[in-house]
Amino acid sequence: MRLSRTLVSLAAASAAAAIPAIAEPEFTRVDVNEVFPSLNVVRAADFDGDGDMDVLVGMRIPGVLRLLENDGNQNFTARDLLTFNQLSALFVADVDSDGDADIVTGRHDSGIVGLTYELHENTGASPAVFVSTELFGGVTELRVRKIVDVDLDGAVDFLAYDNDADELRYFRQNEQGFSFPLPYYTFDSSDESFDGLVDICDVDNDGVNDLIFFRQQRIWWRRGISVSPPSFDEPEVIFETDETVYMYDDYYHRWWYFDVTVAAVEVGDINQDGLLDLVQSTNLVNDLRIHQQFDPQQTRFTNQLVGVFEEELRSLLLADMDGDADIDIVGQAEPGDSIRWLENDGQIAPSFTVHVIDDDADRVTDLDLIDIDADQDLDILARNDEDDTFLWYANGACRFDLNADGAVGAGDLSILIGSWGMFDVPADAFLNGVGTDDLAELIGRWGPCP
């Protein structure tokens, strides 16, 4: 069925040349009936190199790593890869830069203090085969939190948090493997913590990673000065509020006041100008704001109010969900754990239309955007904590229905040919300019939309 939607209040949009419309996607909830006891992580990747997405589930106690291989029609065959006393960490990344998805686990062994981290290297075979290597063991104070190219040398590193010292350290990847943990950043105890670290990324495009934080009523960033040794400039505020909400308590017959605080922050190039922007949700007043970079020389940000919602958006993900070449927002709202898709209209000062994907997503969490069914649009993968299983929302975007008539046909072919070579139009499904790959995909999807 077509999803319900509500238009939020918006900033004025600048005029833009008309471009072909694209049919709105419909999302279908697909529940997986299999139960995975003590499920705590769900990830998807093409582990066996056959062009469709497989699902990897991690169960905590007893620790089990189970691979569900996709046959291309979303029928999954399960097999256990590894068992542990306790699985405490699970990451999926191309650690060895060979083009396939590897697995990194952190386990607790009986009678041993601390975690042991292992790399399970994908050999590229089909069915998938992994070769396990211990990376480092007996790690008591450190917990790997991100796999990211810390020093921007083209190889991913392991970023770890030392709770005792309140600092970030990283295991640098080199030709011999991974180094001993190197110091990266010590948190300012007055206002910073790991829980408030939004992202490590090159905000100002200077070849050095920067840090973005939020806490309470502020969002700020620290400019990276050097890679080796890592050093950072003083904090620069991106957003700050001193807003307060007053609420009357009928039971105690008194007023209470609460500070409005930042609820969630996500980083991405929302207007696709090559500069990283921020999307922010706020609690109590339930608004959504975009902070776009507008001065790359000084790295300054706008503060655009997108809209005010009935519910607070607690998690934010950024991606093009409808294939129209602009960045949309997927969020999980509270209370009620409903899932929302905020459709970007593509303007310089964008407006968003809110679509309800699922308003009964109680205890659905850990959302991820990935093309499960290999149909060239992004689906939503999630963990269902209530039933110890996972589910996904199939995106039914008919991305080559360019004239929105419910089918892919001659009219759409005409629009595509008329857009040949153009960028940032719906016909440019692969975001590299309208060309032969788009033509082949359109012909392959000829006929009624699903």
Side-chain angles (χ1 to χ4, degrees), residues 77-279:
T77 301
R79 61 185 174 101
D80 290 351
L81 298 179
L82 296 162
T83 58
F84 313 89
N85 180 59
Q86 178 178 324
L87 179 64
S88 298
L90 175 61
F91 304 91
V92 173
D94 184 8
V95 175
D96 51 7
S97 302
D98 64 352
D100 49 39
D102 307 305
I103 303 169
V104 175
T105 56
R107 71 174 194 267
H108 269 113
D109 292 324
S110 181
I112 298 177
V113 177
L115 289 185
T116 298
Y117 287 92
E118 287 183 304
L119 168 64
H120 310 283
E121 184 179 355
N122 193 335
T123 65
S126 183
V129 176
F130 299 88
V131 176
S132 300
T133 305
E134 183 174 316
L135 296 172
F136 31 88
V139 181
T140 56
E141 74 282 4
L142 289 175
R143 295 292 183 269
V144 174
R145 297 301 183 92
K146 290 179 179 288
I147 296 181
V148 61
D149 186 2
V150 172
D151 48 12
L152 297 179
D153 65 349
V156 296
D157 312 298
F158 293 169
L159 187 71
Y161 176 56
D162 185 336
N163 185 66
D164 293 339
D166 201 23
E167 70 176 12
L168 290 174
R169 298 160 73 183
Y170 74 108
F171 298 84
R172 184 177 185 273
Q173 186 174 181
N174 51 44
E175 293 180 356
Q176 290 73 41
F178 288 87
S179 68
F180 290 104
L182 303 169
Y184 186 67
Y185 182 77
T186 301
F187 291 101
D188 180 347
S189 59
S190 64
D191 59 2
E192 293 176 354
S193 69
F194 180 82
D195 291 337
L197 179 62
V198 176
D199 207 352
I200 297 175
C201 52
D202 187 6
V203 176
D204 50 3
N205 292 330
D206 65 350
V208 181
N209 270 331
D210 312 300
L211 303 176
I212 301 175
F213 297 92
F214 82 96
R215 180 180 173 86
Q216 299 297 327
Q217 297 181 298
R218 280 201 310 153
I219 304 172
W220 69 98
W221 72 294
R222 287 183 180 264
R223 187 190 307 268
I225 299 173
S226 68
V227 173
S228 183
S231 61
F232 299 88
D233 209 341
E234 293 300 309
E236 299 180 39
V237 174
I238 297 172
F239 170 81
E240 189 168 19
T241 180
D242 59 359
E243 189 174 357
T244 300
V245 171
Y246 291 86
M247 298 181 181
Y248 187 75
D249 189 328
D250 290 326
Y251 184 82
Y252 289 103
H253 303 290
R254 60 163 294 178
W255 287 91
W256 299 93
Y257 70 90
F258 302 90
D259 290 335
V260 173
T261 59
V262 177
V265 179
E266 185 66 14
V267 181
D269 185 3
I270 196 75
N271 56 356
Q272 300 193 79
D273 62 354
L275 301 173
L276 289 177
D277 314 303
L278 279 72
V279 177

Side-chain angles (χ1 to χ4, degrees), residues 4 7 19 24 75 126 128 182-183 215 225 297 324 362 373:
S4 60
L7 187 65
I19 59 175
E24 294 176 359
N75 300 310
S126 183
L182 303 169
R215 180 180 173 86
I225 299 173
Q297 300 301 318
D324 63 354
D362 187 35
D373 48 11

Side-chain angles (χ1 to χ4, degrees), residues 74 126 253 388 416:
Q74 292 70 64
S126 183
H253 303 290
D388 268 345
L416 185 140

